[in-house]
Amino acid sequence: MATVPFYVLLGESNAGWTPMSLMTDQDKQTYNNVIPLTDIWNPGRGAFSAQIEPLTPGVNTMCENYADLTQFGPEVAFMKCLQDQQPRQRFLYKQGQANTSMVVDWKPVFPYTGGEGSRFSQLTQWLPMAVEQALAKGYELDLKAIIWVGGENDSKGTAESRAKQYFEALSSFFSAFDTLWKSIAEKNKLPLNPYKRVIGKVNAPGPAFPYRDFVRNAQIKYASDPANNAVLIDTDSYGLFDYAHYDGKAMVQYGVDIFNAAQCEQPSIAPVAAVSFSGKVFLQGAYNSASGTMNNFLNSEGILETHAKSHPFNTAPFNYSGNESVKENFFLSNPDIVDWVLIELRDSANPSSVVARRAALLKKDGTVVEKNGTDTQIRFEGVSASKYFVAVRHRNHLGIRSSGAIDFSSGAGNYDFTSAATKAFQNQSYTSTVEAGGRWLMRAGNSNSNSNVRYVGPQNDQDHILNDLLGGSIGKVIDNVYSAADLNLDGAVKVSGPANDQNFLLNDVLNGSTGMVYTEQL
């Protein structure tokens, strides 16, 4: 019997109402596969006949009363973050139903004879079924968190009395769940360790939800009591695709935020293994052919010190959950640092599978260094000595990976992406890197941080700079900025005048061709 971290996700429509089609292109690449080593039990896949399945976004992540089979919730990014942190077997129970009320439908009623309490009653029947199936697979479930996603229905215009009862209902719900889980755990001799209660603060803006502040205040009050071991997720910045439901980018961020806030699993203090990587890479946006090094304008102008003391990869499309950062005045003491990069080790048999990731710093001469600015060995804890592909990603350059698996059998691997075009994997008619002065550089121009660089057409980079960043103003200049739209990494975003980003995109990156499109080759 193997101990398996166990999670329970319950709630209303935002537990799983976002179609996969609303994901960004980059997120689709990241999440459009089975989440490794992660099983799910979802009554939306057969109710009483549901079975444990590998968690597959857009296949078994919908609510019970789904509108679209491809709908998903925060579990997709959350469980992926857990696996990125530490690959191991995990199990998720998910039960979501749209248009249900915490005060009415999720109310614990014993004995249940109909009416109020229907959803909680089904939980008392389905959760034991899921646990039995997990036990049959040899899983000793260790509950880490119960995640509640809801509050919209109790915030509506017809729900004033329910909204005012929300705190009592929320408290009763969690208390009843505690009792339910204790009975299941004791019956099956499962661990009874403390677990987190994660609450997504209801967003629900607009006139359809006049009583949302009652609900929000109740959620805040519950989470603020240390005795409840609760975590509140702030959803106020999340985008919506209709009047109440999170769009694709927001739903992915929701899962990342749960991972970062709840900290349900801590990596092992004593790693079982480790490997280190040393290497070299150049960024086209900062490269100076005359000197054979990169410019460090973002550092010399104080932009990194002001805006980038922590790595920039914690949001889409990277969704990296690491906490790499530097101390005050670090960049002043390390003037050769150009920017942050994300280093990935990928499976030698399946290079689309990321084994481990680290944020690192890049020096003017192309050397990748640790966050102390000096160590050239980027350490990956908990990774066994073997062969791995190495990928390098940057916030506004197209990512690259090694053309072959690198041997880390000695515990260390080294790779220079700058010495030849063949050092980077290629599956298009053009090379992944671009030549300048006899060196090979990561391709610049990815102002919107997707998976391609283009001047015209859907989601093109020129449009993003001019219209999204500069509001359509050709003469506008944004100075002293740390932005992916700053293609030449000089600390300014502009489309006219000397060293402007539009000219750099068209002439330097795309060689004057408005129809050229470069696609990331990872």
Side-chain angles (χ1 to χ4, degrees):
M1 192 74 74
T3 301
V4 172
F6 178 42
Y7 295 87
V8 174
L9 190 154
L10 308 171
E12 302 175 30
S13 54
N14 267 322
W17 207 256
T18 305
M20 289 284 288
S21 61
L22 296 185
M23 276 189 180
T24 65
D25 290 342
Q26 187 67 44
D27 283 341
K28 287 176 184 175
Q29 292 182 23
T30 302
Y31 299 106
N32 197 24
N33 292 292
V34 173
I35 305 297
L37 298 172
T38 305
D39 287 339
I40 186 172
W41 197 96
N42 183 350
R45 295 275 288 176
F48 285 94
S49 61
Q51 297 292 316
I52 291 180
E53 308 173 275
L55 197 161
T56 308
V59 174
N60 50 26
T61 52
M62 74 292 280
C63 289
E64 293 174 63
N65 53 345
Y66 56 85
D68 181 334
L69 281 169
T70 72
Q71 289 169 321
F72 72 100
E75 74 285 339
V76 169
F78 173 58
M79 301 307 286
K80 178 70 163 57
C81 284
L82 288 170
Q83 289 296 345
D84 287 345
Q85 174 181 261
Q86 184 179 4
R88 63 177 300 183
Q89 185 64 55
R90 293 180 176 86
F91 182 44
L92 171 73
Y93 173 95
K94 176 173 181 175
Q95 181 184 341
Q97 188 167 59
N99 293 317
T100 54
S101 159
M102 168 64 79
V103 178
V104 178
D105 305 290
W106 293 92
K107 178 181 180 180
V109 177
F110 304 103
Y112 179 71
T113 58
E116 292 185 357
S118 60
R119 309 320 302 160
F120 195 90
S121 174
Q122 289 200 320
L123 173 65
T124 65
Q125 299 172 72
W126 286 337
L127 185 59
M129 289 175 54
V131 170
E132 286 179 10
Q133 291 182 26
L135 289 169
K137 293 194 70 170
Y139 297 169
E140 181 186 53
L141 300 182
D142 182 11
L143 183 63
K144 296 294 185 181
I146 173 175
I147 303 166
W148 171 256
V149 180
E152 291 86 358
N153 206 49
D154 290 315
S155 302
K156 291 180 177 178
T158 57
E160 180 177 5
S161 63
R162 298 205 306 267
K164 292 178 179 179
Q165 300 174 58
Y166 199 87
F167 177 76
E168 290 74 16
L170 192 64
S171 301
S172 176
F173 168 80
F174 280 122
S175 177
F177 180 85
D178 289 346
T179 302
L180 172 62
W181 176 246
K182 183 178 180 181
S183 68
I184 294 173
E186 289 178 343
K187 175 184 176 182
N188 295 288
K189 296 181 174 58
L190 298 176
L192 268 173
N193 296 316
Y195 55 88
K196 298 287 182 69
R197 296 160 180 82
V198 181
I199 303 168
K201 186 169 70 173
V202 65
N203 188 324
F209 305 97
Y211 302 112
R212 76 161 188 164
D213 285 346
F214 286 103
V215 174
R216 286 158 68 98
N217 289 338
Q219 293 171 332
I220 293 169
K221 180 180 178 181
Y222 186 89
S224 64
D225 185 345
N228 292 328
N229 196 24
V231 177
L232 186 69
I233 307 301
D234 187 353
T235 64
D236 286 354
S237 64
Y238 295 178
L240 307 177
F241 71 87
D242 60 15
Y243 71 107
H245 298 108
Y246 303 130
D247 62 27
K249 184 176 180 180
M251 191 59 85
V252 168
Q253 189 62 47
Y254 199 174
V256 174
D257 287 347
I258 292 173
F259 172 82
N260 288 329
Q263 294 291 302
C264 297
E265 299 177 39
Q266 297 299 325
S268 175
I269 294 175
V272 296
V275 298
S276 60
F277 169 76
S278 60
K280 196 170 182 179
V281 66
F282 282 130
L283 302 175
Q284 183 184 14
Y287 192 69
N288 185 325
S289 297
S291 67
T293 63
M294 289 180 286
N295 298 319
N296 65 336
F297 294 136
L298 295 180
N299 196 341
S300 62
E301 297 299 317
I303 293 169
L304 294 179
E305 181 67 28
T306 303
H307 301 291
K309 284 195 284 291
S310 295
H311 76 80
F313 305 112
N314 59 343
T315 58
F318 309 101
N319 296 319
Y320 171 57
S321 56
N323 59 3
E324 288 89 339
S325 62
V326 298
K327 295 180 179 180
E328 198 77 22
N329 297 322
F330 168 85
F331 291 107
L332 301 178
S333 304
N334 293 270
D336 282 352
I337 300 299
V338 175
D339 202 357
W340 291 91
V341 289
L342 185 64
I343 311 296
E344 297 178 338
L345 301 186
R346 296 184 170 217
D347 190 276
S348 61
N350 178 17
S352 65
S353 175
V354 177
V355 175
R357 301 196 285 179
R358 287 290 313 284
L361 294 164
L362 187 62
K363 298 181 70 172
K364 291 174 63 175
D365 65 359
T367 303
V368 179
V369 295
E370 273 282 9
K371 61 183 181 180
N372 63 9
T374 56
D375 290 348
T376 59
Q377 299 290 325
I378 311 303
R379 189 172 173 85
F380 293 85
E381 301 286 358
V383 177
S384 301
S386 185
K387 289 185 177 181
Y388 301 100
F389 288 98
V390 174
V392 181
R393 303 176 70 185
H394 183 264
R395 57 198 175 87
N396 66 4
H397 286 63
L398 296 180
I400 57 175
R401 72 168 166 89
S402 56
S403 53
I406 300 170
D407 189 359
F408 286 82
S409 59
S410 67
N414 175 271
Y415 203 75
D416 184 355
F417 284 95
T418 73
S419 60
T422 54
K423 298 303 285 288
F425 169 74
Q426 178 181 347
N427 63 1
Q428 301 289 332
S429 60
Y430 45 84
T431 56
S432 290
T433 49
V434 59
E435 190 271 340
R439 290 294 183 177
W440 291 86
L441 332 170
M442 292 177 67
R443 293 187 185 274
N446 194 11
S447 70
N448 53 13
S449 300
N450 60 10
S451 58
N452 61 68
V453 173
R454 62 197 309 165
Y455 196 82
V456 296
Q459 297 182 331
N460 72 75
D461 297 283
Q462 183 273 146
D463 217 29
H464 178 67
I465 299 171
L466 176 59
N467 296 319
D468 295 342
L469 270 294
L470 300 177
S473 173
I474 295 176
K476 184 176 179 180
V477 177
I478 303 177
D479 283 315
N480 298 312
V481 65
Y482 188 66
S483 169
D486 173 22
L487 300 184
N488 55 10
L489 303 182
D490 65 355
V493 177
K494 57 184 179 179
V495 295
S496 62
N500 74 74
D501 298 288
Q502 184 169 270
N503 278 355
F504 178 76
L505 172 64
L506 179 59
N507 297 320
D508 292 84
V509 178
L510 299 173
N511 298 311
S513 172
T514 58
M516 186 64 197
V517 178
Y518 288 122
T519 299
E520 195 167 58
Q521 302 176 63
L522 281 173

